[in-house]
Amino acid sequence: WAETQGGGHFVAGIVMKAKDQGLALSVLTSVVSDMRLMITAVNSRFDKNKDAVIEANIRLNGREDIDLLIKKIRSDERIDEVFRTATK
């Protein structure tokens, strides 16, 4: 966890994989907005299988937010995979 200025907020990294890049970004921004979180960094690319890979850093309000964020993203059947990574 990387604690940010202002205390109480943490930045966590996630990686999402999906067939459609625009769809993955749309799901990410929708869930982050609904949870009233903030995207602090995002990188998007295609892997060798031509699947979209979205790497994002999300500012969380508390440690429990990361589990809920991943659960909500996973609930969308169009997202193939989502997991937490170390922040840079």
Side-chain angles (χ1 to χ4, degrees), residues 5-59:
Q5 298 294 335
H9 295 287
F10 298 89
V11 176
I14 63 166
V15 174
M16 299 171 54
K17 294 184 180 182
K19 301 290 182 215
D20 184 294
Q21 185 179 43
L23 173 82
L25 286 169
S26 176
V27 169
L28 175 64
T29 56
S30 176
V31 171
V32 167
S33 176
D34 288 348
M35 291 182 65
R36 298 183 186 269
L37 304 175
M38 182 184 295
I39 298 171
T40 60
V42 67
N43 182 33
S44 180
R45 61 183 169 83
F46 291 98
D47 66 10
K48 62 184 176 185
N49 298 322
K50 298 185 180 174
D51 291 331
V53 178
I54 310 293
E55 299 174 7
N57 288 349
I58 312 296
R59 189 182 78 183

Side-chain angles (χ1 to χ4, degrees), residues 35-84:
M35 291 182 65
R36 298 183 186 269
L37 304 175
M38 182 184 295
I39 298 171
T40 60
V42 67
N43 182 33
S44 180
R45 61 183 169 83
F46 291 98
D47 66 10
K48 62 184 176 185
N49 298 322
K50 298 185 180 174
D51 291 331
V53 178
I54 310 293
E55 299 174 7
N57 288 349
I58 312 296
R59 189 182 78 183
L60 309 170
N61 298 320
R63 292 181 185 221
E64 65 283 350
D65 285 344
I66 188 66
D67 295 328
L68 184 57
L69 174 70
I70 289 174
K71 182 179 177 181
K72 286 185 175 199
I73 293 171
R74 278 189 184 143
S75 71
D76 192 310
E77 67 276 353
R78 301 168 295 180
I79 302 300
D80 297 330
E81 188 177 359
V82 61
F83 54 90
R84 183 167 170 235

